[in-house]
């Protein structure tokens, strides 16, 4: 089992749709989790951290399920500008070793 | 402006010719790291550094070297590049100690080894 796995995608959705991405991780000792966004041929940028209690930032909601070892990202009212690849990131241990998922591509259509 | 810079942005070289990709950050970040991104494989960590003179291997360190003599700089060295090191490389930095560990990425270096 890969250390971090994401929905393969691509997700093609119309504007205004709600879309959810899942990510599973295999190391139960992982402590920190994030979602990054990467536009085509650009550098990744932090979208949001994922906290144990779940967290929301505008149209974006991230949740963590430690028992099942997965994190999720929900995007409501999708915009054309949300089209990008979304990367799940897990910190392995306490030494700063970051593990990225392969990413899920989202395409929002008019 | 707070940023991470990489040079060069694009490089085409030949097998065996030593090269260095520079990375510099102006945010006084302690943590710096290098990644390579390949189609179908995603971003993989090559090396990381928690602070000056402290470096550790990531998941794919073979064929690469790094050094951290100053806090702001973290060069990536390919002593004898091979075609399988053709990739898109990103440098990143973050303020270690922050629970968020937000990584600030450089713009990337596209390397082709022929």
């Amino acid at each position: 089992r890969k250390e971090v796995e994401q929905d393969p995608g691509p997700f093609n959705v119309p504007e205004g749709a709600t879309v959810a991405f899942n990510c599973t991780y295999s190391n139960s000792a992982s402590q920190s989790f994030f979602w990054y966004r990467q536009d085509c041929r650009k550098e990744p940028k932090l979208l949001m951290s994922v906290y144990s209690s779940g967290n929301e930032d505008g149209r974006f909601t991230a949740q963590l399920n430690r028992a099942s070892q997965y994190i999720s990202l929900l995007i409501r009212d999708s915009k054309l500008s949300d089209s990008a690849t979304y990367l799940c990131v897990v910190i392995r241990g306490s030494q700063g070793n970051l593990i990225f998922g392969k990413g899920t591509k989202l395409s929002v259509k008019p | 402006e707070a940023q991470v810079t990489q040079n060069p942005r694009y490089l085409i070289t030949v097998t065996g010719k030593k090269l260095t990709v520079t990375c510099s950050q102006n945010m006084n970040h302690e943590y710096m790291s290098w990644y390579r991104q390949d189609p179908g494989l995603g971003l993989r960590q090559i090396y990381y550094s928690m602070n000056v003179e402290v470096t550790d291997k990531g998941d794919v360190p073979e064929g690469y070297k790094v050094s951290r003599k100053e806090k702001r700089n973290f060069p990536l060295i390919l002593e004898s590049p091979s075609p399988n090191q053709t990739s898109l490389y990103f440098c990143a930095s973050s303020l270690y100690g922050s629970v968020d560990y937000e990584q600030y990425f450089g713009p990337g270096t596209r390397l082709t080894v022929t």
Side-chain angles (χ1 to χ4, degrees):
Chain A
R1 180 182 177 185
K2 289 185 172 52
E3 194 160 355
V4 178
E5 291 194 84
Q6 294 187 236
D7 288 344
F11 284 64
N12 298 305
V13 303
E15 270 187 293
T18 295
V19 61
F21 304 139
N22 288 328
C23 169
T24 58
Y25 60 95
S26 61
N27 188 342
S28 60
S30 300
Q31 294 296 318
S32 301
F33 310 89
F34 309 89
W35 285 102
Y36 276 73
R37 171 195 168 126
Q38 185 175 26
D39 294 298
C40 186
R41 296 180 179 273
K42 299 278 194 179
E43 70 273 22
K45 292 184 179 178
L46 180 67
L47 178 66
M48 57 198 305
S49 303
V50 185
Y51 302 124
S52 295
S53 55
N55 47 302
E56 187 173 309
D57 183 3
R59 297 181 293 108
F60 299 84
T61 300
Q63 292 195 311
L64 168 64
N65 184 319
R66 286 191 184 275
S68 300
Q69 295 181 204
Y70 78 82
I71 67 175
S72 64
L73 177 68
L74 183 76
I75 305 175
R76 291 180 297 277
D77 188 22
S78 300
K79 312 291 185 191
L80 296 176
S81 58
D82 293 335
S83 297
T85 296
Y86 292 83
L87 307 171
C88 170
V89 183
V90 174
I91 303 268
R92 178 197 289 159
S94 61
Q95 294 301 308
N97 200 191
L98 276 75
I99 310 300
F100 283 75
K102 293 181 183 180
T104 300
K105 187 173 182 180
L106 172 65
S107 181
V108 182
K109 307 290 188 185
Chain B
E1 180 191 356
Q3 60 183 350
V4 178
T5 56
Q6 294 179 229
N7 283 293
R9 294 289 312 281
Y10 302 91
L11 179 61
I12 300 173
T13 189
V14 296
T15 298
K17 186 176 181 182
K18 181 179 178 180
L19 67 92
T20 299
V21 184
T22 64
C23 173
S24 183
Q25 50 92 6
N26 62 0
M27 296 170 280
N28 201 37
H29 283 171
E30 295 174 340
Y31 181 96
M32 297 185 75
S33 58
W34 276 102
Y35 302 86
R36 61 178 289 174
Q37 187 170 34
D38 303 288
L41 296 177
L43 271 156
R44 293 177 293 167
Q45 194 173 43
I46 302 171
Y47 270 95
Y48 61 96
S49 170
M50 304 291 266
N51 214 325
V52 175
E53 302 293 359
V54 179
T55 62
D56 279 292
K57 295 178 181 179
D59 289 325
V60 288
E62 295 78 20
Y64 305 95
K65 286 176 58 177
V66 293
S67 67
R68 188 88 182 275
K69 293 182 169 49
E70 306 166 279
K71 199 170 190 178
R72 64 182 293 129
N73 296 321
F74 191 45
L76 180 69
I77 303 158
L78 284 72
E79 296 270 4
S80 182
S82 62
N84 64 13
Q85 293 179 296
T86 292
S87 187
L88 176 59
Y89 291 87
F90 288 104
C91 178
S93 72
S94 71
L95 189 61
Y96 178 65
S98 161
V99 68
D100 286 329
Y101 281 98
E102 177 176 1
Q103 300 289 306
Y104 293 84
F105 284 83
T109 294
R110 190 166 291 279
L111 172 66
T112 301
V113 183
T114 61

